[in-house]
Amino acid sequence: MYAVSLGDDGALLRPLEPWQAEEFLTHIERGREFIGQHIALPDAVTDLESSRAFLRSYAEKAAADTGRIHGIWLGGTLVGGVLFRTMDVQQGVAEAGCWLEPSAVGSGLVTRAARVIIDWAFEERGIHRVEWVVSAENQPSIAVARRLGMTRDGVLRQRYSYRGKRHDMEIWSILAPEWRSGATGRHAS
C-alpha cells in the first residue's frame, strides 16, 4: 500500500480500507465525542460490523470513481482522515471532508492531508471544483477551508438536522484554475 508523507513530523496519508476496520473503530472510539461534535461519523461507526460496512462503502465508491477515503497516521497510529464524500468526475465536482481525534488537533494535519487529495483531484482526475460543506459552528473546519484558499460561497440556513438540532451549513469551494495559480491552496502556509 502506498503512503504519502505529510511532512517532517512523520505523518502519513494512505488509503483507509475495509481490512482496517478494527483500527478504524479503535480510532473512532478514542475521538467519538470530539469527532461527533459536528459530524455523524461516530454515529455511523459504532461496532466492528458498522466500521467494516462504512469502509466497504468507500471501497465501493473508489471502485465506482465516486468517492475516496484516506487515513492520517501519526507515529503509526490512525488519528484522523480526509475524504471525498462525493465525486462526480463527469461534472467535475467533488465534496471533500475531514475528521480528527483530539490528540492530533493543532498541528495542521488536516490541512496538509486535504492539500494532497485536492491536488490529486484537480491534477489526476480532472475535477474542476472541490467543495467543503461545514456546519457554521465548526470553526476549526472553516479555518481549514480558509487555509486551503477556498471561497465561502454561501450558507444553507438550517440545512442539516443533527442530534435534534438544525444547523446552518456553509459551502466553501476552490476551482482548479485558482488552485493551479499558486495563489491559494497548496502553496499557502
Side-chain angles (χ1 to χ4, degrees):
M1 173 192 318
Y2 73 87
V4 176
S5 171
L6 294 177
D8 295 339
D9 58 4
L12 298 173
L13 180 71
R14 63 183 194 233
L16 197 48
E17 299 178 354
W19 64 269
Q20 297 163 305
E22 190 171 337
E23 182 179 16
F24 183 55
L25 177 61
T26 300
H27 153 64
I28 294 298
E29 290 296 343
R30 282 193 307 268
R32 184 170 298 284
E33 186 176 322
F34 181 79
I35 296 167
Q37 291 178 84
H38 300 288
I39 64 171
L41 175 58
D43 297 346
V45 178
T46 58
D47 56 22
L48 189 55
E49 183 179 328
S50 61
S51 179
R52 190 172 288 113
F54 183 83
L55 294 178
R56 189 177 304 118
S57 75
Y58 273 91
E60 291 168 2
K61 285 183 178 191
D65 206 20
T66 60
R68 299 283 191 287
I69 190 168
H70 288 78
I72 301 169
W73 277 262
L74 186 59
T77 301
L78 177 63
V79 296
V82 290
L83 54 77
F84 283 117
R85 202 180 70 71
T86 60
M87 253 177 67
D88 184 335
V89 176
Q90 186 173 14
Q91 288 297 314
V93 178
E95 180 191 332
C98 67
W99 74 94
L100 203 59
E101 67 181 60
S103 67
V105 171
S107 58
L109 289 171
V110 166
T111 303
R112 290 183 273 157
R115 283 184 182 131
V116 171
I117 67 165
I118 291 170
D119 198 56
W120 173 83
F122 287 145
E123 301 307 326
E124 300 296 326
R125 297 303 303 123
I127 295 294
H128 178 73
R129 174 187 167 93
V130 171
E131 298 175 341
W132 194 266
V133 180
V134 57
S135 167
E137 296 176 7
N138 189 346
Q139 292 304 310
S141 189
I142 290 169
V144 171
R146 284 190 176 108
R147 283 191 298 274
L148 292 170
M150 293 185 167
T151 298
R152 182 174 176 254
D153 293 332
V155 176
L156 301 173
R157 297 177 307 136
Q158 297 187 6
R159 169 68 172 86
Y160 182 55
S161 179
Y162 182 57
R163 296 185 175 174
K165 181 181 174 191
R166 298 217 61 92
H167 296 266
D168 291 351
M169 299 303 287
E170 293 189 9
I171 310 298
W172 291 74
S173 69
I174 190 161
L175 307 178
E178 296 167 339
W179 187 262
R180 290 183 187 119
S181 76
T184 62
R186 61 182 159 177
H187 301 293
S189 297

